[in-house]
Amino acid sequence: MTEHEDILGKIVSLAKRRGFIFQGSEIYGGLAGVYDYGPLGVELRHNIKQHFWDTFIAMRDDVYGMSAAILMPARVWEASGHTELFTDPLVECKICHERVRADQPEAIHDHESRHAKDKKQVSWSDPSVFNLLVGTKLGSSEKTATPVYLRGEITQGVHVNFKNVLDSMHPKLPFGIGQIGKAFRNEITPRDFLFRQREFEQMELQYYIRPDEEEGKRQFEYWKQFSLDWFLGLGFSKENIRLRAHEPDERAHYAKDAWDIEYKTPFAGWKEAWGIHHRGDWDLRRHSEFSGVDLSYTDNETGEKIIPWDIECSGGVDRAVLFVLLESYTEDELGGEKRVYLKLKPKLAPIKAAVFPLLKNKPGLVAKAESVYHDLKKQIPQVAFDDNGNIGKRYRRQDEIGTPFCVTIDFETLENDTATIRERDSGKQERIAVSELAGFIQKKIM
Ligand code: GAP
């Protein structure tokens, strides 16, 4: 394994050691493709979601937010085409009977390499199709229980509420509905940490437009660029992000056109982070047919009834978390010492600033540091206090979790009410008035 490829291993280890991400149900042996977010991970994920919510929903006049339920009846998924078409090709190893996705050369190669160690050559079954939807039943009696699915994409929760939003908010085309929430897929080969999971979170916008080819092309281009700009705003360098068009045979069953935003991972090259899909009238038309409820839009001025088309922006929250961690993981030397730090944008950092007393055994310094910490926390809740070990160790601990600023209370603070503030990436320190700390940090974390 090259040093480059091993970055994923280093991220997995840092994420566990420092309370970002843990294997799901780890003390019971873990559940494949399921992860739990710890105290720092949940803050990082929240910051990414907030950035999406602000940019795609709250700051726009033409987009509404919503939050639909995870459980939806089987009929929804028949209408959306997922019951029939949401499948992956699967092959079974004839030696150990493990099942692997037939269209993932890395998974096939990894499996064959495992048997090759015992000098065995794998032969595979013919490919069969495997549906990814995760189903369950609701109701107390086996006979009458209703089959439901945990949504395979959050999208359908928006489409089935199209009429509710029309009737309650009276929007005019074009307009969008965005949401963030969990989706579930029975992935055959969950792999690469947060990249391919069975339970994950999505952030999506369904943008409804007039059914017109030129308008479709214009809106599609607009949302491609908008998504790319948003993604770059997470702090990626331009050379690690690209837009790629799907080949016609790659597109999902609902897509007239589809592009991905991809991230150049150090472990497996370019990988999908985000999709922009031209879904046409597929969803609203099918739900109208299957539910019997008219989901058309009536133009107030012309009285014309139309089924709008949908341009979708769909991103994986967990993939964004993983790619942000990969992009920000940095090893360097500072003051002659090796260090590891997360070069997170301050806006995304789980902790914005840490406050230290220079010495732990000087009650005057500790009391002042505690008071500065409590005052700061009222204005910036994501602030930490640390008096463990020496100051160098405290800096390293905060660097490793991406804290952009460390504030040290020293003897001069007691004399003139100024403190040193140290910037994570450069290690540079400056002295500023304690009364200006909150304003200084606020400006940098916007
Ligand atoms: N509504 C459209 C849709 O769901 P998708 O390309 O299947 O499209 C959208 O998924 C995004 O969800 C992907 O770009 C990816 O970021 C994320 N995603 C999909 N499957 C995932 C999985 N198994 N684990 C983690 N993220 C996943």
Side-chain angles (χ1 to χ4, degrees):
M1 186 180 297
T2 67
E3 197 189 322
H4 227 42
E5 288 166 331
D6 193 35
I7 288 182
L8 186 61
K10 290 179 180 177
I11 297 282
V12 174
S13 143
L14 188 152
K16 178 171 160 61
R17 190 161 35 80
R18 298 306 310 273
F20 281 84
I21 296 142
F22 313 121
Q23 179 70 60
S25 305
E26 191 180 11
I27 61 168
Y28 289 96
L31 192 56
V34 177
Y35 288 90
D36 296 335
Y37 280 72
L40 296 187
V42 76
E43 292 287 343
L44 171 59
R45 185 176 66 171
H46 171 82
N47 295 338
I48 291 175
K49 290 195 285 185
Q50 190 65 51
H51 184 37
F52 170 85
W53 194 268
D54 288 346
T55 315
F56 277 80
I57 302 169
M59 287 162 81
R60 297 189 62 106
D61 292 330
D62 56 349
V63 178
Y64 300 87
M66 70 163 290
S67 175
I70 285 170
L71 295 172
M72 301 181 90
R75 193 80 178 137
V76 167
W77 302 102
E78 286 162 24
S80 69
H82 284 73
T83 317
E84 191 190 343
L85 301 165
F86 195 44
T87 55
D88 277 334
L90 167 156
V91 284
E92 188 172 308
C93 166
K94 289 191 177 165
I95 302 172
C96 68
H97 302 290
E98 194 175 310
R99 294 165 155 213
V100 175
R101 249 177 85 166
D103 59 347
Q104 280 178 349
E106 325 94 86
I108 298 270
H109 175 262
D110 286 359
H111 193 88
E112 289 177 348
S113 309
R114 271 194 354 240
H115 285 299
K117 281 187 194 141
D118 303 327
K119 307 221 168 356
K120 289 185 181 158
Q121 196 181 348
V122 173
S123 75
W124 296 102
S125 69
D126 289 335
S128 55
V129 282
F130 179 76
N131 192 290
L132 303 186
L133 285 173
V134 179
T136 185
K137 281 183 179 171
L138 290 184
S140 52
S141 135
E142 238 335 281
K143 274 193 201 146
T144 56
T146 317
V148 295
Y149 288 105
L150 282 71
R151 58 189 178 191
E153 58 170 2
I154 64 171
T155 327
Q156 298 308 324
V158 166
H159 292 312
V160 301
N161 279 290
F162 177 75
K163 186 168 162 29
N164 281 332
V165 175
L166 273 191
D167 293 348
S168 56
M169 309 306 289
H170 313 291
K172 300 257 177 300
L173 283 180
F175 72 92
I177 307 177
Q179 73 165 335
I180 301 175
K182 291 269 188 174
F184 300 82
R185 295 183 187 176
N186 194 2
E187 296 282 357
I188 300 163
T189 334
R191 55 187 286 130
D192 297 329
F193 193 34
L194 304 179
F195 182 77
R196 192 170 302 286
Q197 300 174 83
R198 288 175 167 147
E199 172 178 341
F200 56 97
E201 224 171 347
Q202 294 184 311
M203 41 193 165
E204 287 194 345
L205 170 72
Q206 309 304 321
Y207 198 75
Y208 299 105
I209 61 167
R210 294 196 159 275
D212 175 89
E213 290 296 340
E214 278 312 306
E215 172 72 344
K217 277 189 200 141
R218 196 178 65 78
Q219 292 286 359
F220 195 75
E221 287 310 308
Y222 172 84
W223 287 108
K224 251 165 67 184
Q225 191 59 44
F226 193 87
S227 299
L228 184 68
D229 291 344
W230 180 83
F231 215 81
L232 286 167
L234 294 177
F236 294 104
S237 64
K238 281 200 173 132
E239 54 273 20
N240 286 344
I241 294 289
R242 74 174 185 192
L243 270 165
R244 186 184 68 82
H246 277 206
E247 299 297 332
D249 63 351
E250 242 186 293
R251 289 180 199 155
H253 58 272
Y254 48 73
K256 279 160 77 89
D257 193 4
W259 284 64
D260 283 342
I261 295 178
E262 295 184 327
Y263 176 67
K264 194 176 180 184
T265 67
F267 59 92
W270 291 102
K271 286 287 190 183
E272 174 188 346
W274 182 284
I276 304 106
H277 310 124
H278 189 327
R279 297 179 77 120
D281 66 0
W282 168 265
D283 303 275
L284 292 183
R285 188 170 46 75
R286 295 272 296 192
H287 285 305
S288 288
E289 285 164 20
F290 278 67
S291 69
V293 175
D294 179 10
L295 297 183
S296 59
Y297 169 95
T298 308
D299 189 315
N300 274 350
E301 281 159 31
T302 62
E304 188 194 2
K305 270 187 146 198
I306 48 173
I307 300 262
W309 286 359
D310 172 33
I311 306 294
E312 172 184 64
C313 303
S314 174
V317 174
D318 310 87
R319 282 195 193 172
V321 170
L322 172 61
F323 295 159
V324 161
L325 286 173
L326 286 165
E327 180 82 5
S328 61
Y329 182 89
T330 314
E331 293 176 357
D332 73 352
E333 246 186 59
L334 190 68
E337 263 186 61
K338 286 201 166 149
R339 70 161 176 167
V340 167
Y341 74 105
L342 295 183
K343 201 175 184 166
L344 292 173
K345 280 195 105 171
K347 188 184 175 87
L348 300 185
I351 294 175
K352 309 301 181 193
V355 180
F356 314 146
L358 180 65
L359 298 168
K360 191 184 177 172
N361 57 2
K362 298 285 174 205
L365 287 182
V366 174
K368 179 66 182 170
E370 281 175 351
S371 142
V372 170
Y373 161 70
H374 288 300
D375 283 350
L376 262 184
K377 204 163 174 68
K378 280 184 209 141
Q379 299 168 76
I380 306 168
Q382 291 80 21
V383 172
F385 181 87
D386 190 1
D387 62 0
N388 268 325
N390 66 36
I391 206 94
K393 286 210 174 109
R394 293 180 212 158
Y395 285 151
R396 295 293 173 273
R397 268 203 299 276
Q398 295 300 328
D399 288 347
E400 206 186 23
I401 59 172
T403 306
F405 302 106
C406 291
V407 174
T408 302
I409 304 303
D410 54 19
F411 293 106
E412 204 180 320
T413 317
L414 303 183
E415 284 165 21
N416 62 11
D417 219 27
T418 61
T420 63
I421 185 156
R422 170 193 179 267
E423 198 269 331
R424 177 196 63 207
D425 301 357
S426 62
K428 281 203 185 112
Q429 301 188 25
E430 60 180 301
R431 262 205 113 74
I432 66 169
V434 165
S435 59
E436 285 171 16
L437 277 173
F440 178 95
I441 298 167
Q442 290 279 20
K443 249 192 242 152
K444 309 266 178 171
I445 62 177
M446 298 276 283

